Amino acid sequence: MKELIIHDNEAGQRLDKLLRKYLSEAPGSFIYKMLRKKNIVLNGKKATGNEHLKKGDSVKLFLADDTIAKFQVSKPEHVQQLKGTVKPDIIYEDHNVLFINKPSGMLSQKAKESDISVVENVTAYLLNSGQLTSEDLRTFRPSICNRLDRNTSGLIVAGKSLAGLQQMGELFKERTLKKYYLCIVKGRIQKPAHIRGYLYKDEKTNTVHLSSRQLKDSLPIETEYMPIAWNAEMTLLKVHLITGRTHQIRAHLASTGHPLLGDYKYGNRNWNDRYKKDWKIEDQVLHAYQLSLPAMEQELENLSGKTFYAKVPNLFWNLIKETAWEHGTQEALEVLH
């Protein structure tokens, strides 16, 4: 017999969902059969599986140890993939969340089984620091609440608890927080602007296209930007990402004639090649720099109204410092430090 006591990270979900995580290799028919036969009970009583669990509930599995082992992977998936992970660059941490500065080149979530992404790095950190056990991962897995492109650096929020995942995920979904990016674009921009359009994605090429009017399967987008420093060649922009679509900043700014430096998918190849040769810039110079949170309650009340910043990568910082800006040199330095 195995007893599971429900804690914060398991509370709120349906019983059958918890059992599908714990007995991850078992078919659903087996789980429901065990519930009907009272081989799995909730608080000592017969259950159907659609009950929502509360903290302190008891789930007992009257199953042989070898039966339970048969329907579990030998180790939770994340534990098997943690070799080679690195400690995240942590900006802020509490009981519920981690704010991380993701480096360019790292996936937010793995695309294939062998990938090591931000999620695996967070999991390894929590295991190594004793905040999670491998057994905990059978019923709860930490994850991220927002994603960045592989070659975009900056702020990612990870949930360490169910409350952190749910509440922060809701803020990103409802866009009640404010996300700001820093980038360098081609051309001189001297005035702030608020631009709108419609974006549709080409799945075959993994590119997006912009239109001034709504087309079939297109989605509305809004981007606001504020120039910080500029010269005749380029501008350092602070971008407020109002909607959050795939490649939105890159494609939207390129459509206005101001593509991002280093962006070979939507940008200017000759300009990019010059900076690749002189500065070793190979990817878009785009950094998720600032996250401003609204008023918050309950478990995340301590984050209410706070703003977090992610330090820009060294290459980006050196480019800003060594560029001869016509206007905004001091503003450029101050916005980053």
Side-chain angles (χ1 to χ4, degrees):
M1 190 275 291
K2 177 72 175 181
E3 182 178 21
L4 305 176
I5 301 298
I6 303 305
H7 300 292
D8 288 331
N9 286 344
E10 293 84 34
Q13 64 185 300
R14 284 170 44 133
L15 172 60
D16 54 0
K17 185 175 181 180
L18 176 105
L19 293 171
R20 285 180 178 273
K21 293 177 183 177
Y22 189 71
L23 302 173
S24 58
E25 303 301 299
S29 57
F30 173 82
I31 291 173
Y32 290 113
K33 180 179 179 180
M34 293 302 98
L35 287 167
R36 289 195 303 271
K37 296 181 66 174
K38 295 178 64 175
N39 287 344
I40 301 177
V41 297
L42 174 61
N43 296 324
K45 298 179 181 179
K46 185 176 181 179
T48 62
N50 62 3
E51 297 83 358
H52 283 80
L53 299 169
K54 300 184 295 294
K55 184 177 180 179
D57 279 348
S58 164
V59 178
K60 290 183 178 179
L61 292 81
F62 294 98
L63 304 172
D65 290 344
D66 59 349
T67 300
I68 292 176
K70 171 185 173 183
F71 290 126
Q72 291 181 330
V73 291
S74 57
K75 287 185 178 181
E77 176 185 353
H78 287 76
V79 177
Q80 297 176 3
Q81 296 188 328
L82 299 184
K83 186 177 180 181
T85 57
V86 296
K87 182 180 177 181
D89 180 2
I90 298 171
I91 298 168
Y92 171 84
E93 179 178 11
D94 63 23
H95 176 68
N96 294 298
V97 297
L98 277 171
F99 288 69
I100 297 161
N101 191 355
K102 182 188 87 68
S104 174
M106 179 180 289
L107 287 167
S108 298
Q109 292 178 304
K110 63 183 182 181
K112 57 181 184 294
E113 197 64 27
S114 59
D115 288 336
I116 299 294
S117 70
V118 172
V119 175
E120 280 69 50
N121 280 274
V122 166
T123 303
Y125 165 70
L126 295 176
L127 288 168
N128 292 335
S129 61
Q131 298 181 62
L132 278 180
T133 67
S134 58
E135 194 64 20
D136 290 334
L137 295 179
R138 296 197 184 279
T139 54
F140 172 77
R141 294 181 179 181
S143 190
I144 55 173
C145 307
N146 65 308
R147 291 185 293 175
L148 299 175
D149 291 344
R150 180 198 286 267
N151 294 321
T152 298
S153 58
L155 267 161
I156 279 189
V157 179
K160 293 169 53 177
S161 69
L162 188 62
L165 276 174
Q166 290 179 337
Q167 293 184 43
M168 286 303 306
E170 190 68 17
L171 292 182
F172 280 101
K173 180 180 178 181
E174 299 298 326
R175 301 199 293 271
T176 51
L177 44 70
K178 292 185 176 181
K179 301 174 287 183
Y180 296 91
Y181 291 68
L182 293 174
C183 61
I184 290 179
V185 300
K186 186 173 176 59
R188 181 193 281 116
I189 299 176
Q190 296 176 273
K191 295 181 179 179
H194 189 141
I195 55 178
R196 296 175 174 85
Y198 293 91
L199 177 150
Y200 57 98
K201 185 174 182 180
D202 185 337
E203 297 290 350
K204 292 182 179 179
T205 62
N206 191 32
T207 57
V208 298
H209 304 276
L210 272 294
S211 171
S212 60
R213 58 188 180 87
Q214 189 166 14
L215 303 174
K216 182 182 178 182
D217 298 326
S218 66
L219 297 169
I221 58 171
E222 285 188 71
T223 309
E224 183 180 33
Y225 61 75
M226 298 137 277
I228 297 170
W230 60 81
N231 58 31
E233 180 183 5
M234 60 190 185
T235 303
L236 173 64
L237 284 184
K238 183 176 182 180
V239 180
H240 177 201
L241 188 65
I242 299 173
T243 54
R245 313 296 187 194
T246 301
H247 300 175
Q248 178 178 323
I249 292 175
R250 298 163 62 188
H252 210 179
L253 287 169
S255 74
T256 68
H258 299 289
L260 271 64
L261 177 61
D263 189 351
Y264 279 88
K265 183 166 284 190
Y266 301 101
N268 182 290
R269 176 167 290 276
N270 291 335
W271 188 49
N272 292 336
D273 284 346
R274 179 155 58 87
Y275 276 86
K276 183 177 182 178
K277 178 182 177 182
D278 296 342
W279 283 85
K280 310 302 180 188
I281 291 174
E282 299 189 357
D283 302 305
Q284 70 267 11
V285 181
L286 179 63
H287 180 71
Y289 166 67
Q290 177 182 338
L291 197 63
S292 297
L293 304 179
M296 302 175 72
E297 300 177 348
Q298 299 176 341
E299 292 92 341
L300 304 189
E301 184 178 6
N302 59 310
L303 298 175
S304 184
K306 290 187 176 180
T307 296
F308 297 90
Y309 300 89
K311 185 177 179 181
V312 297
N314 288 334
L315 184 57
F316 195 171
W317 173 233
N318 290 333
L319 181 59
I320 290 170
K321 286 193 300 181
E322 297 183 28
T323 295
W325 303 106
E326 291 175 8
H327 171 87
T329 301
Q330 190 59 37
E331 289 85 346
L333 298 180
E334 288 177 355
V335 77
L336 300 174
H337 282 273

